Amino acid sequence: MQGKLPTIQYLRGLAAMLVVASHALLYPLAEQTIAYGRLGWLGVILFFVVSGFIMVTVTGPGSFDPVAFLKRRILRIVPLYWAFTLVAAALALVEPGLFKTTVFDGGQLLKSLVFVPFYNPASHGLHPLYKLGWTLNYEMFFYVGFAVLALLTARRRVAVLTIAYVALALTGALRQPVDAIPAFYTSFMPLAFVAGAWLGLAQIEGYLRKVPAAVLVGLGIMALAGLVQGFTWDHGLVEDPVAFIGLLSFAAATVALVVGLEPVLPRVRFLETLGDASYSIYLVHIFAVAATAGVLLRLLDTTDPLVTNAIIAFAIVAGAVAGLMLYRLVERPLMGRLRKLA
């Protein structure tokens, strides 16, 4: 891929802000609904689709160096994640009352740092000590699988990944494993990477560069239908497999749509910057949202819906601003230094 696509950066920013908005709504500041959780889950699904797209497009149609690939991905993901994991662990140790779903545990800390899934009794799920890191466990799983197939062509690599991830998801659906590691790796969530990988393949083979108008309209309809289905299907579970189908349809169709419209869409620098900072926003926003909402909840009358909505808005803005600051002051200069090691 000749440089980054601005539209893909827009979607990365959108995905991050969906997660921020979800957590601002779930703090809680308002009546809880399953839609609030689905909002953040949609952001994660969109992240995964974009990730699959990017990995295929940046590695190109042929083979690539798996060691260099993994080195770059580790340098990109691990330092900031480790920093936030260690900060969360330290705070949970000295001020445990600050957290609802984080409890210090040395064994959990070690597993979190090496991306080993485990059942976390504090969060009642397969979450690392820094809860947001569950998505990074899947990212690392995808990176390793992608690197293992580095000697294949892109088309064969995507095909093998598809077969493997579909087989794992079917195994999980049929066997319903209860142990943490098999339950985590037989989830249907990695299918979002597969969808993105096929879109990346379509991009490098030229199919997304000149998309007919009728196909673009069809993608728009698919995205809208998927969004409606994903948010209206309610069987009491946020991460419902049927809702996943709708939300994945939205995410995949949206990626295809915006990439297909790339030549005619305006370049919006702020949205591009938001996408550049999406990883920082994702990692730091929970602290900013909790601090902002926590202070305002104590100072203001939350019986007034307008005040409650204002608090939510301030919390969302705080999450984005904190992420942009972290990106400019820490992530960007750090990545500049670490790239010299890649």
Side-chain angles (χ1 to χ4, degrees):
M1 184 167 61
Q2 300 300 313
K4 64 186 180 183
L5 294 174
T7 48
I8 287 294
Q9 294 304 98
Y10 301 166
L11 292 179
R12 290 179 65 196
L14 171 62
M17 293 311 299
L18 287 172
V19 176
V20 175
S22 174
H23 287 144
L25 289 161
L26 288 168
Y27 186 69
L29 303 179
E31 180 185 354
Q32 300 296 292
T33 74
I34 203 167
Y36 297 165
R38 290 265 170 89
L39 200 64
W41 196 40
L42 174 59
V44 171
I45 293 169
L46 182 56
F47 262 131
F48 286 177
V49 173
V50 168
S51 182
F53 177 92
I54 290 173
M55 290 307 101
V56 172
T57 53
V58 298
T59 52
S63 60
F64 61 90
D65 183 347
V67 175
F69 170 80
L70 285 176
K71 188 175 181 180
R72 285 194 299 270
R73 300 322 301 164
I74 288 170
L75 291 176
R76 175 73 179 85
I77 295 295
V78 170
L80 275 182
Y81 172 60
W82 276 7
F84 276 89
T85 297
L86 293 172
V87 167
L91 290 174
L93 181 62
V94 299
E95 290 290 342
L98 291 175
F99 298 95
K100 296 179 180 179
T101 59
T102 301
V103 175
F104 179 82
D105 181 283
Q108 289 184 5
L109 175 59
L110 180 60
K111 289 180 180 179
S112 299
L113 293 175
V114 296
F115 300 96
V116 174
F118 59 89
Y119 178 76
N120 190 330
S123 65
H124 305 289
L126 298 175
H127 303 124
L129 192 144
Y130 189 56
K131 187 177 177 180
L132 294 176
W134 71 271
T135 63
L136 302 182
N137 285 350
Y138 278 123
E139 288 278 358
M140 294 301 291
F141 177 46
F142 176 65
Y143 296 156
V144 171
F146 203 76
V148 166
L149 303 173
L151 298 182
L152 301 178
T153 62
R155 178 167 283 275
R156 290 181 178 178
R157 188 160 49 245
V158 172
V160 172
L161 278 173
T162 302
I163 293 169
Y165 283 167
V166 168
L168 285 171
L170 288 174
T171 300
L174 294 172
R175 300 292 297 272
Q176 297 289 314
V178 294
D179 291 338
I181 291 178
F184 189 84
Y185 290 121
T186 58
S187 165
F188 51 80
M189 285 298 294
L191 297 178
F193 291 113
V194 169
W198 280 106
L199 292 173
L201 187 65
Q203 171 68 4
I204 62 176
E205 293 184 349
Y207 294 109
L208 294 183
R209 294 173 190 168
K210 293 182 180 180
V211 183
V215 175
L216 292 174
V217 172
L219 289 170
I221 293 171
M222 177 180 170
L224 180 60
L227 192 65
V228 171
Q229 189 274 339
F231 277 90
T232 56
W233 179 270
D234 185 357
H235 280 203
L237 180 66
V238 171
E239 298 179 7
D240 185 282
V242 177
F244 174 77
I245 296 171
L247 298 182
L248 178 57
S249 297
F250 167 82
T254 300
V255 170
L257 185 62
V258 299
V259 172
L261 291 172
E262 172 84 25
V264 299
L265 290 177
R267 189 163 186 177
V268 184
R269 293 289 183 180
F270 174 73
L271 295 180
E272 194 172 344
T273 300
L274 205 64
D276 292 341
S278 58
Y279 185 48
S280 287
I281 293 171
Y282 180 76
L283 286 176
V284 77
H285 79 272
I286 199 69
F287 289 105
V289 166
T292 302
V295 170
L296 293 177
L297 281 170
R298 289 176 175 83
L299 295 178
L300 302 176
D301 176 17
T302 55
T303 59
D304 185 343
L306 290 177
V307 173
T308 300
N309 291 332
I311 293 174
I312 294 171
F314 274 114
I316 292 172
V317 171
V321 169
L324 288 167
M325 291 177 62
L326 179 68
Y327 171 70
R328 291 186 182 278
L329 299 177
V330 179
E331 182 186 355
R332 188 166 65 178
L334 177 63
M335 289 303 105
R337 292 184 177 92
L338 291 178
R339 283 192 191 101
K340 298 175 182 178
L341 302 176

